[in-house]
């Protein structure tokens, strides 16, 4: 019984550490970040494919203007490279599917953990003193990486911080 009680206390502390009062929702944040990765790669892939399609159209227009076999061979080689880019862009669909599987798995785990937290009682878990490891890198909390849409500092605000007149004053 004493051993079982010890294990239950350890589980209780681990559950409290997952969602301490005032802490960010790690699971929601992870799934949002992964969803944003899917959207960003999809957007970049579409831009690449549209641009390469434009190159292919230009190459076909140029091919129609010449009878030179050497130029036509070069145009054919460019078309082959364009097709390779189109094939390579299929990574986005596969990547999106894999990331979606990871997000679904995370949501499943989150639901199970939330169920356990509800069973144990949120109020009860907030009473548990959780010893969180202190960050060894004090600047780590300042490094937030790319932000989700609508979060973080806008580029226009960053540009205002770097007013050219102020930079000239600082560096002469």
């Amino acid at each position: 019984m004493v051993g079982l009680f010890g294990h239950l206390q350890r589980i209780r502390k681990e559950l409290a550490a997952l969602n301490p009062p005032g802490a960010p929702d790690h699971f929601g944040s992870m799934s949002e970040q992964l969803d944003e990765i899917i959207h960003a790669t999809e957007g970049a892939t579409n831009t690449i494919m549209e641009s390469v399609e434009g190159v292919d159209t230009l190459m076909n227009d140029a091919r129609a203007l010449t009878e030179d076999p050497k130029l036509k061979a070069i145009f054919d080689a460019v078309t082959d490279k364009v097709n390779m880019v189109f094939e390579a862009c299929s990574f986005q669909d596969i990547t999106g599917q894999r990331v979606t599987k990871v997000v679904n798995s995370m949501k499943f785990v989150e639901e199970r953990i939330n169920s356990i937290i509800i069973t144990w009682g949120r109020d009860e878990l907030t009473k548990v003193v959780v010893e969180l490891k202190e960050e060894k890198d004090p600047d780590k909390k300042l490094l937030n990486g790319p932000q989700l849409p609508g979060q973080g500092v806008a580029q226009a605000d960053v540009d205002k911080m770097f007013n050219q007149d102020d930079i000239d004053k600082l560096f002469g």
Side-chain angles (χ1 to χ4, degrees):
M1 289 296 275
V2 171
L4 180 59
F5 181 75
H7 286 297
L8 289 173
Q9 288 302 96
R10 172 97 173 130
I11 291 170
R12 190 171 155 212
K13 282 185 179 182
E14 292 298 328
L15 287 172
L18 282 173
N19 196 9
D25 176 14
H26 293 293
F27 287 105
S29 175
M30 286 187 285
S31 62
E32 287 174 0
Q33 292 290 340
L34 289 171
D35 284 339
E36 194 56 36
I37 288 170
I38 292 170
H39 294 332
T41 56
E42 183 178 7
T45 302
N46 288 337
T47 299
I48 291 167
M49 291 178 74
E50 288 169 6
S51 298
V52 171
E53 188 176 332
V55 168
D56 193 42
T57 299
L58 293 171
M59 291 305 299
N60 287 331
D61 292 347
R63 181 183 285 120
L65 296 175
T66 186
E67 292 298 322
D68 184 346
K70 288 182 181 179
L71 277 177
K72 286 191 176 212
I74 291 171
F75 294 147
D76 289 342
V78 171
T79 297
D80 289 344
K81 297 295 182 188
V82 164
N83 290 334
M84 289 173 68
V85 172
F86 278 123
E87 289 173 18
C89 284
S90 68
F91 80 92
Q92 191 281 325
D93 184 47
I94 294 168
T95 302
Q97 291 174 26
R98 288 182 175 163
V99 171
T100 298
K101 283 183 179 182
V102 171
V103 168
N104 290 338
S105 295
M106 287 174 42
K107 287 178 180 178
F108 175 80
V109 170
E110 180 184 18
E111 288 169 5
R112 300 293 73 76
I113 290 172
N114 282 334
S115 176
I116 294 170
I117 289 171
I118 289 168
T119 300
W120 208 299
R122 259 186 220 285
D123 293 338
E124 185 63 30
L125 289 175
T126 57
K127 294 176 188 174
V128 177
V129 176
V130 180
E131 296 177 15
L132 299 176
K133 295 181 183 176
E134 290 206 21
E135 294 287 337
K136 293 183 181 187
D137 182 3
D139 292 333
K140 187 173 183 178
K141 61 185 170 195
L142 301 173
L143 304 173
N144 296 312
Q147 298 294 301
L148 294 172
Q151 296 179 355
V153 179
Q155 185 62 46
D157 295 332
V158 173
D159 293 343
K160 287 178 190 175
M161 289 189 278
F162 292 105
N163 181 328
Q164 189 61 46
D165 293 334
D166 294 338
I167 292 172
D168 290 342
K169 288 177 190 175
L170 286 173
F171 298 107

